Amino acid sequence: MLAKIGAASQEDLVSYLPADVRFSGTLQIDDGKSEFEIVDYFKAAASRNANGYASFLGAGVYNHYRPVLVDTVVSRGEFLTSYTPYQAEISQGTLTSIFEFQTMVCQLTGMDVANASMYDGSSAVPEAAMMAVRVTRRDRVLIARTVHPEYREVLATYTRHQGIPVEEIAYAKNGRVDLEDLKKKLTDEVAAVIVQTPNFFGLLEQVKEIAALVQSKGALLVVVFTEAVALGLIEPPREADIVVGELQSFAISPSYGGPYAGIIATREKYIRQIPGRLVGETVDADGKRAYCLTLATREQHIRREKATSNICTNQALLALMATVFMTVYGKQGLRDLAEQNLAKAHYLAGKLALMFDAPFFNEFVVRTNGRTPEQINSELLEKKIVGGLPLGRFYPELKDAMLLCATEMSRRQDMETVAAGFRA
Amino acid sequence: MIKKVSKHIVQNEPLLFEQSSPGKWGYQLPPLDVPPVDAAAALGKENVRAEIEDFPEVSEFEALRHFTRLSTWNYAIDLGLYPLGSCTMKYNPRVNELVARTEGLAWAHPYQPEALAQGCMEVVAALERALEEITGMAAVTLQPAAGAHGEFTGILMMRALLETRGNARKKILVPDSAHGTNPATATMVGYSVENIKSNSRGMVDLEALERAVTGDVAGLMITNPNTVGVFEENIRRICGLLHDKGALVYMDGANMNALVSVARPGDFGIDVMHLNLHKTFSTPHGGGGPGAGAVAAGEVLKPYLPGPRLKRVGDKWAWNYELPDSIGRVRAFYGNFGVLVRALAYVMAHGGNGLRQATLDALLNANYLRALLDPYYEIAYKAPSMHECVFSDDRQAKKGVRTGDIAKRLIDYGFHPYTVSFPLIVRGALMIEPTETESKQELDLFADAMISIAQEVDENPELVKRAPHMTRTPRVDEVRAARQPIVRWKRPQ
């Protein structure tokens, strides 16, 4: 090979680089390790994490069972080791599964169109806000304080330099959007109002009422979800203009925060304003149904600085995991799963003092009655239970409250231990 | 002659929605160990949905067959060379998949107590350290979810620094050879974009750059090696030009696999850059994600990195949220941790010396292909190639055959095409990146195929223009898809 190139050694391939640019040192990285040593290292790392604990954490990341089939499918090299399906003729597998994904996301959310997935739920929020700004040609954004706090932080980072002022809407005594505060802040300059349901406190927001208010002012309603399993049971936000959310609940392991799969879905009329990849149906040269990436004229590789977003990828493999999950559970299973979550959470909640009086799905805020959430949690840890999320970090006014989550994975016996922990 | 592939039975498969039968399912749930709850009573009747209309109803085995059949319609690195330029389609080591599934890592909740997440934090810290060493930069964040997300993070940091100096400035300069994400990113951070033309060697034109660097310029986004696979030999001067005017230099690290252990951006003047862990560090592309876009910053930009940041408290790791100058979060939690695990496993398997060898092998493979193809295709620039080589379709276009046609014909020969029509500065570009994980045998087969196609262009151009002929799906009508977009299935009326 070197002879063909006309080089004497591989070093010749870099010897022409300017001397003041070439790295002459040695990287201070240990010598290469064998497969066995690598596996051992990560096992040791894992052993320094929580192992064998029951957990009642939710707050945007949920502990649901992953059917075996999911891993079987995504471990296939044809899905795992392929690129973005630009070459439609040899990518129909990925393209077809994304078309099914887009369809299922529409069915779940009650929207007309959905894209091929977003990085995650949090970064989908500013993308929805920017989309609403393009559609309405207005520039203000309102976001409920009951939206996931880290999602709100991401929105702030994205909007800061784009001339999009963001204002927060307070929550009422019942833990849901304060409709009076919303009315007060809903001016003619507002492009989007962003709410989450079930909200960060686990409560269902009054989407219909909010939609009527928002749309009467010509703004778009963006509805966020973090717990996709809820959509197996609760009425989807059909009144929304844009729905964004996180599908981590659908067979994607918590993996210390990522990778996950976000979604964005909207009404048919806004299809050309949607960011990211879209798969569309067409025909091949034989006239048979086929799929390909479409409406690329929205995207950065064609439009460059005029693109709807700088997004270049989706989360195809994670979206595939969610697709397999939705397929395995199916119409009946997703409802059964959601009902189990509802039953478990309501069982645990029934033994505790709730902070808010409003319908909730599988998460709820509990008062800690004179002790701190941290005290309760540290006692639970001794019983091999990771308790709920203390809310003080995100809501100083709720420093004596914690957010608990129960799923189909929560055992009754552990729930009794948690309940006893609050009484102790 | 087509050597690599033969005819093969491929199964047809309808959509899930078309094969659903009422009452089928593929799941099992344990019996409920608490009393059931009436949804309408708990949530309010108006909040409970009727069935999810047209949602799939198939058995577990039907589900498995469905996705297995679909998988056989894909090409993949596991099947052969995937020479997409700039995409770095290299072998995805399977041990990385295994370790990413280690239970204590894969099922770690981002809010579990720090004392019970030390293993995850150690992984993050170890990868940050390795990437600092590889880039020669002061600090690394692993929060961005993808390359473009990293660009956004880096340009925001530049803006934040310039603001503290009293003027955020107005423009970002972008070479005309850049990825489309660069100008799109600059716009998202509130900057206008000015394109800088390339010179006859495929590099940034220094005179054009010098004229463009005014007091309005916040910075330059540069890809190095650039998208024609050529090292920007004036990179130090370029950085100096920007720095002299108080501007900054962002490096798009999409092609960092050409530089690992050969040159370090921190040493040649770059202020901030991203790395695509799904390219250089071998994490699987997964049909279009997940990626991870680590951002490395020099000392001057370090305070502006997104938070939280890791810190050492005694002998433990902790997350530090007290970062007064930080640009804030660019996504929830700490990044695509599962991808980070894979990238660290890649670094560990190679070690410092192995990483250098991988770089040299990538350069060897690209230059070998360039030498084999040079007699048949027009090389876009004479300058030496690093990890990829870019040709134009000038010779073939005379016969009416364009780069897209050659790409489709390549499919018949059993290969995924190269990157088509990019970079835009090359007319009819064929951008070829073999990566270091290909054998000489596979490269020779690929070169044979390209040479054979060049002959077909001369003898029978129509054969090439109507390709592919061997695939399950012949050429797809992309224009029709865009004209009347159908992006979801609906039950036929």
Side-chain angles (χ1 to χ4, degrees), chain B residues 104-126:
Chain B
L105 301 174
W107 293 88
H109 192 288
Y111 291 145
Q112 72 194 36
E114 288 177 355
L116 291 174
Q118 291 294 306
C120 289
M121 294 160 105
E122 171 58 35
V123 166
V124 172

Side-chain angles (χ1 to χ4, degrees), chain B residues 402-443:
Chain B
R402 303 308 312 267
T403 175
D405 303 316
I406 299 165
K408 295 297 186 201
R409 183 61 178 150
L410 203 43
I411 293 171
D412 285 334
Y413 281 81
F415 291 99
H416 193 280
Y418 46 77
T419 295
V420 177
S421 301
F422 185 85
L424 306 174
I425 55 167
V426 176
R427 206 172 41 230
L430 294 71
M431 187 196 209
I432 302 172
E433 179 182 8
T435 82
E436 73 278 11
T437 56
E438 295 302 331
S439 66
K440 179 175 180 298
Q441 287 82 350
E442 186 79 1
L443 298 177

Side-chain angles (χ1 to χ4, degrees), chain A residues 1 4 10-11 13-14 16-18 20-21 23 27-30 32-33 35 45 49-50 58-59 61 69 71 76-85 87 89-94 99-100 102-104 107-108 111-113 119 122 148 150 153-154 157-158 160-162 231 233-235 253-259 272 279-286 289 291-292 294 300 304-305 310 314-318 327-328 330-331 333 335-336 340 344 360 393 412, chain B residues 15-16 18 26-27 30 33 43 47-49 51-52 54-56 60 66-68 70-71 73-78 82 84 87 89 92 95 101 104 106-109 111 116-120 133 146 148-149 156 159 163 178 180-181 183-185 187-188 190 231 233 236 262 264 284-290 319 321 327 329 331-334 336-338 348-349 351-352 356-357 360-361 363 365 372 386 408 411 473-477 481-482 486-489:
Chain A
M1 291 171 81
K4 186 78 200 167
Q10 281 189 269
E11 292 296 332
L13 298 171
V14 292
Y16 70 90
L17 295 178
D20 61 352
V21 161
F23 176 61
L27 288 180
Q28 297 304 303
I29 293 175
D30 290 348
K33 293 194 166 43
E35 200 169 288
N49 287 338
V61 179
L69 221 56
D71 231 12
R76 287 193 67 93
E78 299 91 333
F79 286 127
L80 183 71
T81 75
S82 55
Y83 193 70
T84 305
Q87 297 292 341
E89 295 83 0
I90 46 171
S91 307
Q92 285 297 306
T94 295
F99 187 78
E100 292 179 327
Q102 291 174 179
T103 302
M104 285 190 234
Q107 292 166 341
L108 264 186
M111 292 287 105
D112 302 324
V113 294
Y119 299 142
S122 72
H148 195 297
E150 296 201 19
E153 289 177 38
V154 174
T157 306
Y158 268 71
R160 192 167 296 136
H161 300 294
Q162 298 194 65
L231 287 165
L233 190 59
I234 67 166
E235 179 64 9
S253 61
S255 195
Y256 204 51
R272 283 169 201 276
V279 169
E281 184 182 311
T282 184
V283 294
D284 64 22
D286 293 341
R289 181 172 69 184
Y291 301 96
C292 63
T294 195
Q300 46 76 27
R304 299 177 78 84
E305 63 268 24
N310 73 340
N314 61 342
Q315 293 284 100
L317 200 71
L318 288 310
T327 306
V328 167
K331 186 188 278 186
R335 190 174 190 96
D336 287 354
Q340 283 214 359
K344 299 266 189 173
F360 63 94
R393 190 179 122 206
R412 182 171 182 156
Chain B
L15 296 177
L16 288 163
E18 295 163 337
Y27 72 102
D33 62 0
L43 302 174
N47 287 323
V48 178
R49 80 186 295 169
E51 67 170 32
I52 308 172
D54 292 326
F55 217 56
E60 180 179 320
H66 175 75
F67 292 106
T68 304
L70 295 193
S71 76
W73 303 349
N74 271 2
Y75 189 84
I77 314 169
D78 283 3
Y82 212 124
L84 280 173
C87 301
M89 298 296 285
N92 305 139
V95 65
R101 285 167 171 77
W107 293 88
H109 192 288
Y111 291 145
L116 291 174
Q118 291 294 306
C120 289
E133 175 67 12
H149 206 210
L156 267 181
R159 184 169 186 123
E163 272 173 3
T181 49
T185 297
T187 304
M188 281 174 69
F231 190 87
E233 61 185 14
R236 273 186 173 274
V262 164
R264 304 198 308 171
H285 281 76
W319 287 109
Y321 296 89
I327 58 162
R329 279 185 178 283
R331 60 154 287 169
F333 317 117
Y334 326 107
N336 282 348
F337 177 77
M348 288 174 68
R356 182 176 177 85
Q357 192 58 48
L360 295 179
D361 288 351
L363 268 52
N365 283 355
L372 292 179
M386 292 201 81
K408 295 297 186 201
I411 293 171
T473 303
R475 209 174 277 207
V476 166
D477 188 350
I486 304 171
V487 298
R488 63 171 293 190
W489 180 84

